[in-house]
Amino acid sequence: MRRNQPPGSLGAIYDLLYEEIKPGDSISVDAAVTKVRETEHAVGNAEHAVERLVDRGYLYKVDGHLHITEHRDGSPDSESER
């Protein structure tokens, strides 16, 4: 099943975070921004990219942690069902 992926560089950032966030797991917003910053080389760009992924529904935030909305197999994150 093909997963929904944002276009362009946002898609590359999503892929990067997807590899970091395992199904049923999460990553802190700060850790995500740091990880993205390693490729973006600018804090503002990294923060903006993470927020865009949240705003567009590819990630969701709970208590300062990011979760994947839908995994590659099409299954929702177990946290989203709570």
Side-chain angles (χ1 to χ4, degrees):
M1 172 179 264
R2 187 175 183 276
R3 68 189 164 96
N4 193 13
Q5 180 179 1
S9 63
L10 202 56
I13 292 168
Y14 177 77
D15 283 342
L16 175 75
L17 293 176
Y18 187 92
E19 295 303 317
E20 292 293 315
I21 305 171
K22 303 302 178 208
D25 205 358
S26 66
I27 186 174
S28 73
V29 173
D30 291 339
V33 168
T34 298
K35 192 70 173 169
V36 172
R37 194 173 82 199
E38 292 173 0
T39 60
E40 287 294 309
H41 304 292
V43 176
N45 291 345
E47 290 173 344
H48 180 71
V50 170
E51 285 303 316
R52 284 186 63 198
L53 288 169
V54 171
D55 291 345
R56 292 182 178 191
Y58 294 101
L59 303 174
Y60 67 97
K61 197 180 331 183
V62 177
D63 297 327
H65 284 80
L66 297 172
H67 302 262
I68 298 292
T69 301
E70 184 176 294
H71 290 277
R72 288 188 175 154
D73 64 1
S75 66
D77 187 271
S78 60
E79 282 286 313
S80 66
E81 296 177 1
R82 293 183 187 172

